[in-house]
């Protein structure tokens, strides 16, 4: 029940899922890059789904679906929030553990059971769910619609329902802990930005995941109880089905009402950790602490009122579309405030280009370049052309896929010494950073051009299309880079697990010279985190200045000197 143990459970489960999800993308990129060729190695992994080394179209869709589901939910939601909320919240606010350690443990085991069911669905005879990670009806609501709408879809829905339970248990716990268990002197305005970000992440999850659950429950009813929430006037093989009066669009509203807050559930932890890491490794106070908190609040509020920008082409009223365009473009303002504050934090700082710092800088870079294309897509007139093309894939992979991963990597490299009392290998860390950053841009930048040309996503083979044949070599190039980047991630996994046992030992309590509370505990903190009393907090978390004793930082636990003003 110790929060530090649960954090490690989340992290290692997330890493295993990340390998699976990334491997799936390698398989379907082989098909997209080399549609004429066969790869016998695929048959070893995928059996009759890749007879003779050629992916079947049905399984191509299953791979795309599971890749999205695994990485968005199981890695970037559970793996990211689960790890860092659990690990950092008690340590950085000065609590012995979570408000309810038992509920915390339950949240992990619900995630674990959900993982087992999702993993089992890969081995069902008719294959896993294959309706896209958004599982829109009627494809997902009718068992006879496609081979991937059979048992695999049921297992997907059950796994996702359990996943939501896990997220709700965790989120309520995080919120309660932050509001009720701060140590003496730790006012809300003295909390590190990581805690603010994780707090808003939990708020987003608690308010939006129940809506997704209701959407899934209604989908289960449509599949098994003969209801018509999402189905109406459907013919299969010329025969009318008895369903009448449902709306497939209703499902999209329920899904995206979680789906857009979900983007920020994925992004906010990275934003908080980047703020902390950029400040620490620039040896400079974070710029605009209050503006950072207000922009986090703004993002959290706006995240709930932009969901229909995923639905501009569903035939919604153009007037309503215009309102969602306005709200969508508004969310760029708090995001831009954060970007300017990060850039101003490192401006003329005493930069230490450590591995966590590199990943935090990479996070900001990807957040900017991925975010800018969101302005294109948020415009309903442009979106009519760009919707469901490779432009969308390029946009969201850069801004919430790779960028969130960079935030996660930055956090892992930075807090690894606190988690395991050892350092990760620096050389491998730098290789991991440079190859992944270059690879991310080489994979997703060209996809913008394919999207401009109108190339639709989720197609199995483009070689028969006169208009998209021109991208054959480009697709092959992207696929080669994907393979290189995948093996680089295995290098990270190797570095991670070997460093736990063989890494350079941490000798000082505070290896990065941080000001926050987690570095006041023992190198290997036991249950309850602090031996004796929890230290009292006297100042804000980013006091990087000369302390008069030759250090360039003042920890939060140091009392104010006579005449010194509180920040």
């Amino acid at each position: 029940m110790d929060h530090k143990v649960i954090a490690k459970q989340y992290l290692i489960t997330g890493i295993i899922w990340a390998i699976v999800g990334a491997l799936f993308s390698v398989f379907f990129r082989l098909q997209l890059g080399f549609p004429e060729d066969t790869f016998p190695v695929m048959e070893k992994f995928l059996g009759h789904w890749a007879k003779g080394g050629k992916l079947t179209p049905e399984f191509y869709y299953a791979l795309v679906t599971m890749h999205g589901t695994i990485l968005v939910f199981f890695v970037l939601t559970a793996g990211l929030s689960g790890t860092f909320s659990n690990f950092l919240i008690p340590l950085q606010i000065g609590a012995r553990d979570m408000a309810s350690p038992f509920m915390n443990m339950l949240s992990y085991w619900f995630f674990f059971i959900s993982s087992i069911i999702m993993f089992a669905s890969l081995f069902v005879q008719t294959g896993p769910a294959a309706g896209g990670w958004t599982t829109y009806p009627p494809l997902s609501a009718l068992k006879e619609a496609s081979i991937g709408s059979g048992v695999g879809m049921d297992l997907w829905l059950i796994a996702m329902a359990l996943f939501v339970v896990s997220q709700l248990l965790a989120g309520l716990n995080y919120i309660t802990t932050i509001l009720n268990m701060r140590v003496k002197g730790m006012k809300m305005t003295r909390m590190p930005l990581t805690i603010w970000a994780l707090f808003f992440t939990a708020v987003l999850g608690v308010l939006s995941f129940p809506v997704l659950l209701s959407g899934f429950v209604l989908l289960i009813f449509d599949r098994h109880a003969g209801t018509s929430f999402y189905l109406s006037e459907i013919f299969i093989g010329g025969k009318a089905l008895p369903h009448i009066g449902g709306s497939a669009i209703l499902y999209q509203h329920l899904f995206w009402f979680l789906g857009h807050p979900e983007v920020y559930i994925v992004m906010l932890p990275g934003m908080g950790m980047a703020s902390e890491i950029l400040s620490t490794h620039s040896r400079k106070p974070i710029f605009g602490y209050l503006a950072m908190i207000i922009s986090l609040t703004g993002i959290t509020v706006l995240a709930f009122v932009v969901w229909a920008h995923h639905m501009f082409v569903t035939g919604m009223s153009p007037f309503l579309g215009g309102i969602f365009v306005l709200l969508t473009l508004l969310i760029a303002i708090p995001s831009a405030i954060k970007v300017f504050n990060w850039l101003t934090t490192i401006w003329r700082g005493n930069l230490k280009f450590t591995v966590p710092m590199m990943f935090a800088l990479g996070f900001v870079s990807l957040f900017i370049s991925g975010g800018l294309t969101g302005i294109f897509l948020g415009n309903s007139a442009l979106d009519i052309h760009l919707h469901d093309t490779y432009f969308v894939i390029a946009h969201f992979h850069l801004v919430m896929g790779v960028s969130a991963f960079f935030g996660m990597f930055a956090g892992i490299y930075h807090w690894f010494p606190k988690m395991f009392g050892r350092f990760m290998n620096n050389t491998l860390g730098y290789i991991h950073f440079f190859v992944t950053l270059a690879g991310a841009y080489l994979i997703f930048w060209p996809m913008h051009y394919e999207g401009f040309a109108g190339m639709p996503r989720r197609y199995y083979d483009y070689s028969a299309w006169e208009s998209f044949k021109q991208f054959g070599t480009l697709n092959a190039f992207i696929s080669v880079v994907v393979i290189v980047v995948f093996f680089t991630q295995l290098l990270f996994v190797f570095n991670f697990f070997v460093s736990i046992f063989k890494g350079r030992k941490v000798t000082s309590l505070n290896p990065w010279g941080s000001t926050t509370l987690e570095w006041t505990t023992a190198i290997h903190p036991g249950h309850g985190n602090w031996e004796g009393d929890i230290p009292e907090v006297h100042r804000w978390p980013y006091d990087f200045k000369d302390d008069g004793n030759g250090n360039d930082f003042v920890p939060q636990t140091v009392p104010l000197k006579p005449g010194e003003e509180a920040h």
Side-chain angles (χ1 to χ4, degrees), residues 358-381:
M358 299 304 278
F359 274 101
L361 291 168
F363 167 85
V364 177
S365 160
L366 288 152
F367 181 67
I368 296 171
S369 42
L372 285 173
T373 53
I375 298 173
F376 292 59
L377 291 166
N379 187 320
S380 56

Side-chain angles (χ1 to χ4, degrees), residues 25-258:
S25 70
V26 171
F27 289 149
F28 65 69
R29 270 316 317 182
L30 285 175
Q31 163 59 34
L32 289 171
F34 311 98
E36 314 294 328
D37 302 337
T38 56
F39 298 92
V41 63
M42 287 221 278
E43 196 169 9
K44 276 201 179 62
F45 275 97
L46 304 175
H48 71 264
W49 296 115
K51 268 214 170 67
K54 179 113 174 96
L55 211 53
T56 62
E58 294 80 13
F59 201 67
Y60 169 80
Y61 285 118
L63 285 178
V64 172
T65 303
M66 296 308 280
H67 165 77
T69 306
I70 288 167
L71 290 173
V72 172
F73 293 114
F74 287 40
V75 182
L76 290 175
T77 303
L80 183 52
S81 293
T83 300
F84 291 103
S85 299
N86 274 308
F87 192 74
L88 294 178
I89 288 172
L91 283 169
Q92 287 197 334
I93 66 170
R96 296 276 179 210
D97 205 309
M98 283 290 176
S100 167
F102 178 70
M103 209 159 97
N104 205 22
M105 177 190 74
L106 274 187
S107 88
Y108 173 73
W109 290 112
F110 266 110
F111 169 51
F112 185 80
I113 296 166
S114 160
S115 293
I116 296 292
I117 294 172
M118 192 64 86
F119 196 70
S121 80
L122 299 172
F123 301 94
V124 176
Q125 187 157 15
T126 50
W133 77 280
T134 54
T135 61
Y136 282 180
L139 195 54
S140 59
L142 298 168
K143 287 179 232 150
E144 52 274 21
S146 82
I147 188 168
S149 300
V151 186
M153 190 69 228
D154 288 322
L155 291 172
W156 190 94
L157 286 165
I158 293 163
M160 286 307 299
L162 290 167
F163 179 82
V164 172
V165 173
S166 139
Q167 289 308 300
L168 290 176
L169 287 170
L172 290 169
N173 217 349
Y174 304 152
I175 294 169
T176 313
T177 308
I178 292 170
L179 292 180
N180 290 346
M181 298 183 65
R182 303 190 304 281
V183 73
K184 186 179 178 195
M186 177 64 80
K187 301 195 291 235
M188 292 289 273
T189 48
R190 284 182 183 168
M191 296 196 311
L193 288 169
T194 32
I195 302 298
W196 275 106
L198 294 166
F199 173 69
F200 284 124
T201 305
V203 170
L204 283 166
V206 164
L207 294 176
S208 62
F209 267 116
V211 180
L212 183 72
L213 184 60
S214 64
F216 287 160
V217 169
L218 299 185
L219 190 51
I220 292 170
F221 286 169
D222 272 12
R223 287 174 61 84
H224 295 288
T227 56
S228 305
F229 289 108
Y230 306 133
L231 297 170
S232 186
E233 297 160 0
I234 289 175
F235 292 79
I236 289 188
K239 226 174 80 192
L241 296 185
H243 298 285
I244 196 88
S247 162
I249 304 295
L250 168 64
Y251 175 85
Q252 294 191 25
H253 280 293
L254 295 174
F255 183 91
W256 288 116
F257 191 80
L258 160 97

